[in-house]
């Protein structure tokens, strides 16, 4: 459903009024909200898994259960279990002369109020429910703006959310960039954003007028360094697992490798072998996730074209020699990029997909200097 800024402002006011009336927020109420969050995921886990696959074009069901549903439930339960400890006041030592006068210093942790959460598309359930776990544990109310790239997941949150929460406790919203911009401009007591660095800059500007405290979880280049003493077989197996999960669409996926020069060929062969063992086929493999959409596939293809044009060797890791060009979907095999240079887009932008540049070094200090 389309939502206006005035409607969102009214929702913030309703949540804040309810929050103020409830203060101080008891542990029992916080635990109840966490418990209802768990129930929502338990009751509708399969529906969320199906929704994520529809939004991605195809997404591994096992991966969705593990990384989105199970991880979220564990986070919510951990928050509930830890809540009494987190709420406990902490003693602080006082500076002279207050300590001599018999005063005691205590920090009591209090909720902020209404927390805004702007969720990304790559783990649309986990990166919604994880922040909700923290917000509810701290005694806050939440408003969530889901990604426009996962409209099915967003619609499901909007459908099932009211079955478990009053709108003054948790409100789920969807919409395009215009709604996202208006959402970031709301007078939240805290705002969390997970996503691209470029968008994060706009979020920070939008929140500034209200002096809203902001937490940004943005992209990066996530280097992986292989030392000379490493077991290359084990290392490449683990790197392949981290890179191929969610088709590399994870902020923690290895973005580029730094390997000893004399081991480069061994690492390339190790990567090929590891991928072939995990994914002997890709196109019809239910365990291999698609690139999110054609826009992101074209972006990744553009990175590869740019690398080739500037002298890189691009190796396609396609164990079954499948024809991806004739596919109607957006699945991509892993591409290894040898001899990348700093003027290539693959070394300038966060890759966020199944493309892995491999750089070499003579001394490990060179690798550390390069990363820094």
């Amino acid at each position: 459903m389309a939502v206006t800024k005035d409607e969102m402002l009214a929702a913030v006011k309703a949540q804040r009024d309810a929050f103020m009336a409830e203060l101080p927020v008891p542990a029992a109420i916080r635990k109840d909200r966490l418990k209802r969050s768990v129930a929502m995921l338990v009751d509708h886990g399969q529906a969320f898994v199906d929704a994520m696959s529809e939004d991605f074009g195809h997404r591994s069901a096992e991966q969705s259960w593990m990384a989105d549903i199970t991880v979220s439930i564990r986070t919510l339960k951990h928050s509930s279990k830890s809540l009494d400890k987190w709420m406990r006041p902490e003693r602080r030592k006082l500076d002279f002369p207050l300590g001599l006068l018999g005063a005691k210093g205590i920090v009591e942790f209090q909720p902020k109020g209404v927390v805004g959460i702007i969720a990304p598309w790559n783990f649309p359930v986990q990166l919604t429910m994880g922040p909700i776990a923290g917000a509810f544990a701290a005694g806050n109310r939440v408003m969530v703006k889901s990604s426009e790239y996962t409209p099915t997941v967003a619609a499901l949150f909007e459908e099932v959310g009211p079955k478990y929460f009053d709108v003054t406790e948790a409100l789920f919203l969807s919409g395009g960039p215009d709604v996202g911009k208006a959402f970031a401009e709301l007078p939240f007591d805290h705002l969390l954003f997970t996503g691209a660095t470029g968008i994060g800059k706009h979020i920070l500007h939008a929140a500034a007028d209200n002096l809203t405290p902001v937490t940004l979880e943005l992209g990066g280049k996530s280097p992986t360094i292989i030392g000379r003493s490493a077991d290359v077989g084990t290392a490449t197996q683990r790197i392949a697992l981290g890179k191929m999960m969610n088709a590399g669409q994870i902020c923690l996926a290895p973005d580029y490798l730094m390997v000893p020069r004399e081991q480069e060929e061994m690492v390339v062969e190790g990567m090929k072998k590891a991928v072939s063992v995990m994914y002997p086929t890709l196109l019809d493999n239910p365990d291999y996730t698609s690139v999110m959409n054609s826009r992101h596939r074209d972006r990744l293809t553009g990175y590869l074209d740019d690398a080739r044009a500037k002298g890189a060797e691009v190796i396609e890791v396609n164990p079954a020699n499948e024809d991806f060009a004739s596919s109607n979907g957006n699945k991509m095999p892993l591409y290894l990029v040898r001899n990348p240079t700093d003027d290539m887009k693959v070394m300038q932008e966060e890759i966020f997909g199944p493309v892995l540049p491999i750089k070499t070094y003579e001394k490990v200090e060179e690798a550390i200097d390069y990363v820094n």
Side-chain angles (χ1 to χ4, degrees), residues 91-110:
R91 295 286 299 272
R92 291 289 192 271
K93 185 178 179 181
L94 293 177
D95 290 334
F96 178 85
L98 294 176
L100 295 179
L101 300 175
K104 295 180 180 180
I106 298 174
V107 174
E108 291 191 0
F109 299 98
Q110 299 180 353

Side-chain angles (χ1 to χ4, degrees), residues 271-307:
M271 289 298 299
K272 289 180 181 177
K273 180 181 178 181
V275 171
S276 299
V277 169
M278 283 191 289
Y279 302 101
T281 63
L282 295 168
L283 275 178
D284 296 322
N285 190 332
D287 290 328
Y288 187 59
T289 296
S290 171
V291 171
M292 182 62 192
N293 52 35
S294 59
R295 185 176 76 88
H296 279 286
R297 178 171 178 157
D298 291 345
R299 174 182 63 82
L300 293 165
T301 301
Y303 290 174
L304 294 170
D305 291 342
D306 174 76

Side-chain angles (χ1 to χ4, degrees), residues 120-141:
W121 54 261
N122 61 324
F123 290 96
V125 175
Q126 183 210 79
L127 294 175
T128 295
M129 299 309 299
I132 283 178
F136 276 170
N140 299 294
R141 310 296 176 110

Side-chain angles (χ1 to χ4, degrees), residues 167-238:
V167 292
T168 61
E169 294 178 298
L171 181 62
F172 298 93
L173 304 169
S174 60
D178 53 335
V179 175
K181 179 178 182 296
F183 188 90
E185 293 170 351
L186 297 175
F188 292 115
D189 298 296
H190 200 97
L191 178 63
L192 294 94
F193 168 79
T194 304
T197 303
I199 304 298
K201 293 178 181 179
H202 294 294
I203 298 296
L204 208 54
H205 279 290
D209 285 342
N210 294 310
L211 296 179
T212 299
V214 179
T215 298
L216 301 174
E217 199 271 292
L218 307 176
K221 290 296 285 177
S222 294
T224 300
I225 301 174
I226 298 181
R228 281 191 164 83
S229 63
D231 182 313
V232 172
T234 301
T236 50
Q237 183 181 25
R238 291 173 178 171

Side-chain angles (χ1 to χ4, degrees), residues 219-282:
K221 290 296 285 177
S222 294
T224 300
I225 301 174
I226 298 181
R228 281 191 164 83
S229 63
D231 182 313
V232 172
T234 301
T236 50
Q237 183 181 25
R238 291 173 178 171
I239 290 165
L241 177 65
K243 187 64 175 180
M244 299 297 277
M245 182 179 180
N246 211 36
Q249 297 165 117
I250 312 176
C251 60
L252 296 177
D255 192 278
Y256 65 94
L257 302 187
M258 300 287 293
V259 306
R261 189 178 305 279
E262 71 277 9
Q263 294 183 11
E264 181 186 18
E265 191 66 43
M266 195 186 311
V267 168
V268 169
E269 293 306 312
M271 289 298 299
K272 289 180 181 177
K273 180 181 178 181
V275 171
S276 299
V277 169
M278 283 191 289
Y279 302 101
T281 63
L282 295 168

